[in-house]
């Protein structure tokens, strides 16, 4: 199934919720809608599903205009943040409900197979209220998969689960999506989730579609500062810079030896240098630039340590692998390889990205 959004916009009262979005998710692939809360992800998914009608634009399925066709007439499966199941039906009957509607055969076998894939086969005779949140969400996912819809929409389905359950289900969903034929649209606020799911990513902000493409490509070459901010966790460190003989002069800090690409003069008057937290280190390597400062905050998250350092170029956040301990206020020097720096022009457009030949991305 080929879904296409053609210049979709949505206005509610005096508020513009979506701005002129055109998007054609790859058929049979996963497309992640990535953006902060109120970026427009849910509004766009509701239009895809037929729950809402756009103010302007068209929704096309296999080149047929389905704009305004209600959701009950479309073959769409949806999974929400909340665990939506039929409370009066056993787990087995919840999963079987779309199969029964289609009049399929061997329903019990298909239900058990799906339940086994989602590790809930031992709960088939229970009711949803007897399950944990994670187990209930697995039931909702199993029912969505049982529907066999060519379009599956998942609106932050793991956001209400604890950390461990989210990690488990992310890995399982990646495998389930890879094994299926559905076009999957998956909304999330978490860049790490987009990277794990792979496929394609559409970055949204303030009701606008900022960039769409293969997930790794969007991550490594964000077209603008807005995309870079949305697709970095922790947020990309941004530093003001001016042109210099060596390349870039960080405002209040050292120069970075970079060969900037050829570009119109107006793009080369001032810059924003960006560096991801994972590219900052506390031990030096050959060619590194030193950024001395003092520790403002250090926090351990999972297997990483995030240390916030006040430097002459602003507060920087380094993401260090492993567990590290720092005293608040203690001096520390961060080290940066200039080759890992992103450069954005005066208008916030990407001018140079690490590993991109010729600079321009």
């Amino acid at each position: 199934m080929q879904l296409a959004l053609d210049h979709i916009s949505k206005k509610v009262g005096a508020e513009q919720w979506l701005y002129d979005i055109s998007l054609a998710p790859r058929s049979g692939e996963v497309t992640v809608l990535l953006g902060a809360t109120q970026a427009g992800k849910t509004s766009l998914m509701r239009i895809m599903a037929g729950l809402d009608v756009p103010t302007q634009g068209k929704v096309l399925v296999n080149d047929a205009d389905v704009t305004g066709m209600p959701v009950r007439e479309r073959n769409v499966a949806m999974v929400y943040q909340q665990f939506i199941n039929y409370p009066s039906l056993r787990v087995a009957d919840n999963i079987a409900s779309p199969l029964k509607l289609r009049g399929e055969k061997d329903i019990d076998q298909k239900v058990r197979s799906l339940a086994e894939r989602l590790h809930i086969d031992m709960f088939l005779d229970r009711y949803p209220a007897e399950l944990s949140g994670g187990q209930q969400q697995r039931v909702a996912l199993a029912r969505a998969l049982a529907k066999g819809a060519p379009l599956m929409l998942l609106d932050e389905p793991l956001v209400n689960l604890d950390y461990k359950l989210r990690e488990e289900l992310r890995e399982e969903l990646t495998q389930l999506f890879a094994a299926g034929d559905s076009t999957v649209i998956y909304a999330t606020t978490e860049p790490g989730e987009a990277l794990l799911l792979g496929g394609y990513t559409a970055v949204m902000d303030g009701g606008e579609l900022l960039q769409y493409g293969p997930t790794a490509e969007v991550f490594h070459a964000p077209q603008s500062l807005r995309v870079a901010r949305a697709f970095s966790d922790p947020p990309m460190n941004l530093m003001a810079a001016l042109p210099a003989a060596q390349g870039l002069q960080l405002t209040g800090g050292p120069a970075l030896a970079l060969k900037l690409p050829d570009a119109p003069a107006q793009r080369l008057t001032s810059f924003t240098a960006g560096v991801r937290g994972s590219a900052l280190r506390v031990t030096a390597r050959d060619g590194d630039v030193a950024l001395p400062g003092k520790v403002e905050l250090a926090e351990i998250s999972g297997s990483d340590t995030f240390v916030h350092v006040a430097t002459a170029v602003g507060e920087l956040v380094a993401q260090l692998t492993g567990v590290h301990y720092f005293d608040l206020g203690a001096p520390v020097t961060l080290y940066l390889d200039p080759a890992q720096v992103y450069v954005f022009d005066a208008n916030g457009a990407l001018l140079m990205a690490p590993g991109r030949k010729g600079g321009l991305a």
Side-chain angles (χ1 to χ4, degrees):
M1 185 207 76
Q2 179 58 62
L3 170 71
L5 306 178
D6 183 19
H7 295 287
I8 292 293
S9 65
K10 179 69 175 178
K11 193 170 185 180
V12 179
E15 294 186 32
Q16 191 76 35
W17 285 15
L18 296 173
Y19 294 85
D20 193 18
I21 292 176
S22 293
L23 177 66
R26 291 288 293 266
S27 179
E29 299 276 0
V30 177
T31 290
V32 178
L33 299 183
L34 175 65
T37 302
Q38 297 185 330
K41 304 184 300 297
T42 298
S43 297
L44 193 62
M45 292 180 86
R46 288 180 62 86
I47 288 172
M48 291 179 184
L51 291 169
D52 288 336
V53 177
T55 304
Q56 291 183 328
K58 296 184 293 184
V59 180
L60 306 173
V61 173
N62 297 332
D63 295 326
D65 188 349
V66 298
T67 313
M69 181 184 292
V71 65
R72 65 178 177 274
E73 296 179 21
R74 300 193 195 182
N75 193 3
V76 178
M78 298 189 70
V79 180
Y80 302 90
Q81 296 177 13
Q82 301 299 326
F83 321 128
I84 300 178
N85 293 301
Y86 300 113
S88 61
L89 299 181
R90 296 176 309 127
V91 167
D93 295 321
N94 264 278
I95 299 172
S97 57
L99 300 172
K100 292 177 179 177
L101 283 173
R102 291 203 304 269
E104 292 205 12
K105 299 178 179 179
D106 302 321
I107 289 178
D108 289 344
Q109 181 181 341
K110 292 175 181 178
V111 166
R112 181 159 293 279
S113 176
L114 276 170
E116 288 174 352
R117 288 168 65 188
L118 283 160
H119 309 295
I120 52 174
D121 49 303
M122 68 289 294
F123 305 129
L124 288 173
D125 289 326
R126 297 190 187 182
Y127 290 91
E130 300 175 299
L131 306 181
S132 69
Q135 291 160 355
Q136 290 191 56
Q137 192 64 309
R138 288 171 190 263
V139 175
L141 286 165
R143 190 174 65 252
L145 289 167
K147 190 171 184 180
L151 177 62
M152 183 179 294
L153 305 174
L154 298 100
D155 189 5
E156 298 188 58
L158 310 183
V159 71
N160 290 321
L161 306 182
D162 63 40
Y163 176 81
K164 184 177 180 181
L165 279 173
R166 285 203 305 271
E167 291 299 301
E168 290 177 359
L169 273 176
R170 279 172 185 160
E171 293 182 9
E172 291 169 7
L173 287 176
T174 302
Q175 297 171 9
L176 287 169
F177 295 157
D181 298 322
S182 297
T183 298
V184 178
I185 312 295
Y186 189 106
T188 182
T189 61
E190 299 184 32
E193 196 162 51
L195 287 169
L196 183 63
L197 290 169
Y200 293 76
T201 289
V203 180
M204 298 187 66
D205 180 57
E208 297 180 65
L209 174 62
L210 304 183
Q211 186 173 347
Y212 171 69
T215 296
E217 182 178 309
V218 177
F219 178 77
H220 290 297
Q223 292 177 353
S224 67
L225 278 170
R226 291 174 71 189
V227 176
R229 289 189 181 104
F231 209 160
S232 294
D233 185 21
M236 182 179 285
N237 296 289
L238 302 175
M239 301 164 281
L242 293 171
Q246 291 177 287
L248 287 186
Q249 177 68 50
L250 297 180
T251 303
L256 301 179
L258 291 171
K259 181 174 175 52
L260 297 176
D262 295 331
Q266 62 268 27
R267 296 189 68 190
L268 303 176
T269 55
S270 64
F271 307 98
T272 299
V275 58
R276 298 193 189 275
S278 57
L280 294 171
R281 298 181 299 277
V282 291
T283 55
R285 297 177 185 171
D286 289 344
D288 278 358
V289 169
L291 299 166
K294 66 176 183 178
V295 176
E296 292 199 330
L297 174 68
E299 51 188 347
I300 298 170
S301 177
S303 59
D304 292 331
T305 301
F306 297 86
V307 56
H308 300 241
V309 180
T311 74
V313 298
E315 181 178 310
L316 304 178
V317 180
Q319 181 180 0
L320 308 176
T321 302
V323 176
H324 303 262
Y325 297 97
F326 298 88
D327 293 327
L328 297 184
V332 65
T333 298
L334 298 178
Y335 295 96
L336 167 65
D337 179 355
Q340 296 299 310
V341 172
Y342 291 81
V343 181
F344 301 90
D345 68 14
N347 296 318
L350 181 68
L351 188 66
M352 187 174 182
R356 299 277 160 164
K357 292 183 179 181
L360 282 171

